Amino acid sequence: MSLGNLVRSGAKKALEHFAIEGSVKEILPYGNGHINDTFLAVFQTGSGGEKRYILQRMNHNIFKDPPLLMENVVGVTEYLRKVILDQSGDPDRETLNVVRTLEGKSYFEDEEQNFWRVFLFVEGTLCLEKVESAKDFYNGGAAFGNFQKMLAEYPVGELHETIMNFHNTPSRFQDFRRALEEDRVGRAALVRPEIEFALSREEETWALTDLLKKGELPLRVTHNDTKLNNILFDQATGRALCVIDLDTVMPGLSLYDFGDSIRFGASTGAEDERDLSRIELDLELFEAFTKGFLKGCDGKLTHREIEMFPMGAKLMTYECGIRFLGDFLNGDVYFKVHRGNHNLDRARTQFKLVADMEKKWDQMVSIVEKHHAGI
Ligand code: ADP
Ligand code: GN1
Ligand code: MG
């Protein structure tokens, strides 16, 4: 049996352990995440209707302790449910909802030590792989800003660090250097210019962590993986409805969330675009997100945080670039790849974007100043 079929048959067996009414009609691979195996599971219900769910096999090579991770996800989603209800929102659509197993657990562990979980499928939504309009990106910014705001009072001490040093850029730099020194699959010689680009920016890796250490930036509950495809948009209204992919919700800097969104969404091309002439920072999109994020955070950010927006964008883009390049050097063991050199192509887009941010630095700073002054 192929790996894909094996996983799918595991998915079918896993579903039997969840408290879901009806019988499985279909299980299909779903979405474009780089980490978990995601399926759409369609159930035939007793009344002749259908109900859909998201089933995921958690990547336990990356998330070392799935039960602890699920404690975070349950804690955060239950908390968000209450906040959304208080705001007269719809908690079945505006946050993820964990479906329990027959034993009442938030995950199922199979005989091969695979960990599975199920969420209600949020119906009537769109997941965008690319920003289609400045308005969408503004809405995305507002959603991620609001996510931070909704979790502002969440008991931080209850959150587990699901991946240590996730956005600690100096630590990511050390990982990259280790991958380079080991050169496990003999690829370093193929990518000297990219390696040079990464190494020559070591000094800047400290820009945010130093400010955190000095107490100039506050630690908050952040999402940490704010790609546009981690938001579901309401098909009917175009509103950014639900923030998903909560595996990395941990204490972090607001600038991680701001920056990671910019690196993915304000680029003129896809994360894995091969034609680098298509990759630039779109300043109109940068501005739209800045406005949306400030609106969503609703006055909660400090002046220092806002001032550092451009650095957040640059550092998160650089960090992702060294992670992709490091994974290329390690033999593609972390991010899912779908073609030869996939991680290298991804690293190249990130570095092209960093270089473009360096060129457009003054404009980025002016845009942030303009909107900072307006709040
Ligand atoms: P990964 O960690 O691999 O990125 P995600 O949790 O982001 O996995 O899920 C992958 C994709 O599945 C998302 O980009 C989205 O398209 C879809 N998805 C995830 N959860 C839901 C949900 N509850 N309802 C509808 N679509 C979802
Ligand atoms: C991964 O899970 P997904 O595809 O949303 C990664 C992010 C990277 C991103 C790059 C847990 O995100 O950190 O920025 O790929 N998630 C994890 O596309 O490592
Ligand atoms: Mg995702």
Side-chain angles (χ1 to χ4, degrees):
M1 216 189 301
S2 73
L3 183 61
N5 282 339
L6 260 177
V7 174
R8 213 181 303 193
S9 91
K12 191 156 189 288
K13 281 193 215 144
L15 275 176
E16 290 167 11
H17 296 267
F18 285 85
I20 300 178
E21 189 215 323
S23 54
V24 182
K25 190 177 162 200
E26 232 179 340
I27 304 177
L28 302 163
Y30 198 77
N32 285 309
H34 293 342
I35 304 295
N36 295 305
D37 293 314
T38 302
F39 300 91
L40 170 67
V42 186
F43 275 69
Q44 191 85 54
T45 59
S47 49
E50 279 182 2
K51 193 157 158 91
R52 308 202 286 173
Y53 298 86
I54 285 287
L55 167 71
Q56 284 182 325
R57 183 172 73 151
M58 290 177 256
N59 187 327
H60 65 267
N61 290 326
I62 290 178
F63 297 107
K64 303 291 181 206
D65 194 335
L68 276 192
L69 182 153
M70 286 311 289
E71 269 188 32
N72 277 5
V73 173
V74 168
V76 166
T77 51
E78 286 182 352
Y79 185 92
L80 287 175
R81 257 192 100 77
K82 284 192 210 127
V83 178
I84 292 164
L85 274 171
D86 280 348
Q87 296 169 350
S88 312
D90 176 355
D92 286 347
R93 296 189 76 227
E94 293 174 30
T95 177
L96 284 176
N97 284 274
V98 175
V99 176
R100 300 280 173 162
T101 65
L102 293 165
E103 293 175 328
K105 288 169 79 171
S106 59
Y107 61 88
F108 167 71
E109 183 182 356
D110 70 17
E111 285 155 3
E112 277 103 45
Q113 284 78 51
N114 289 306
F115 289 84
W116 300 86
R117 67 180 172 200
V118 174
F119 295 112
L120 294 184
F121 187 89
V122 186
E123 295 289 351
T125 59
L126 286 173
C127 182
L128 304 178
E129 294 300 326
K130 189 169 175 345
V131 172
E132 278 157 21
S133 69
K135 188 164 161 269
D136 285 346
F137 205 37
Y138 170 89
N139 284 332
F144 281 128
N146 183 49
F147 182 83
Q148 242 177 60
K149 183 186 155 202
M150 288 197 289
L151 291 173
E153 310 298 325
Y154 189 84
V156 180
E158 285 178 18
L159 279 174
H160 310 289
E161 206 166 338
T162 52
I163 299 179
M164 297 301 278
N165 292 319
F166 191 61
H167 280 309
N168 182 330
T169 314
S171 156
R172 292 292 189 181
F173 186 84
Q174 294 313 324
D175 295 344
F176 170 71
R177 215 206 285 279
R178 196 172 321 114
L180 179 58
E181 278 160 15
E182 290 175 0
D183 194 16
R184 280 184 223 165
V185 285
R187 289 178 173 174
L190 308 171
V191 290
R192 284 290 159 208
E194 288 78 9
I195 292 170
E196 214 28 66
F197 187 96
L199 293 178
S200 63
R201 284 160 180 78
E202 181 181 5
E203 275 302 296
E204 270 173 316
T205 61
W206 302 94
L208 298 181
T209 43
D210 272 359
L211 292 181
L212 175 66
K213 263 191 225 141
K214 284 195 246 163
E216 290 185 33
L217 291 173
L219 205 58
R220 301 183 182 278
V221 175
T222 49
H223 182 283
N224 296 308
D225 187 4
T226 51
K227 289 203 288 202
L228 190 71
N229 67 8
N230 286 330
I231 298 182
L232 301 175
F233 286 79
D234 193 325
Q235 234 161 358
T237 63
R239 189 165 72 95
L241 185 72
C242 181
V243 170
I244 61 170
D245 203 344
L246 306 177
D247 297 335
T248 51
V249 175
M250 287 182 276
L253 298 180
S254 58
L255 295 155
Y256 299 158
D257 284 3
F258 177 86
D260 196 48
S261 280
I262 296 296
R263 75 149 196 96
F264 188 85
S267 169
T268 49
E271 188 181 72
D272 59 357
E273 173 61 58
R274 273 180 276 214
D275 177 357
L276 291 182
S277 71
R278 293 198 181 158
I279 303 290
E280 265 186 61
L281 175 78
D282 182 323
L283 285 169
E284 189 198 345
L285 294 180
F286 177 79
E287 180 159 13
F289 191 88
T290 301
K291 278 201 293 190
F293 193 71
L294 286 172
K295 173 96 172 75
C297 289
D298 194 19
K300 292 264 188 295
L301 299 179
T302 65
H303 292 304
R304 193 74 166 121
E305 284 177 292
I306 299 171
E307 199 179 85
M308 294 305 286
F309 276 5
M311 186 50 89
K314 183 174 161 187
L315 215 53
M316 287 302 100
T317 311
Y318 168 83
E319 181 189 280
C320 204
I322 59 173
R323 290 176 64 197
F324 286 143
L325 190 59
D327 198 31
F328 175 76
L329 294 174
N330 284 335
D332 306 316
V333 292
Y334 186 97
F335 297 103
K336 285 186 185 183
V337 287
H338 306 293
R339 60 178 195 238
N341 288 351
H342 207 165
N343 270 317
L344 175 58
D345 293 338
R346 290 170 176 150
R348 285 179 170 151
T349 62
Q350 303 308 290
F351 291 163
K352 173 75 196 289
L353 210 49
V354 169
D356 200 45
M357 287 178 187
E358 287 169 352
K359 278 194 215 136
K360 294 176 177 159
W361 192 254
D362 292 346
Q363 287 149 287
M364 290 166 77
V365 170
S366 303
I367 289 169
V368 172
E369 277 173 359
K370 180 170 117 195
H371 295 287
H372 193 172
I375 56 170

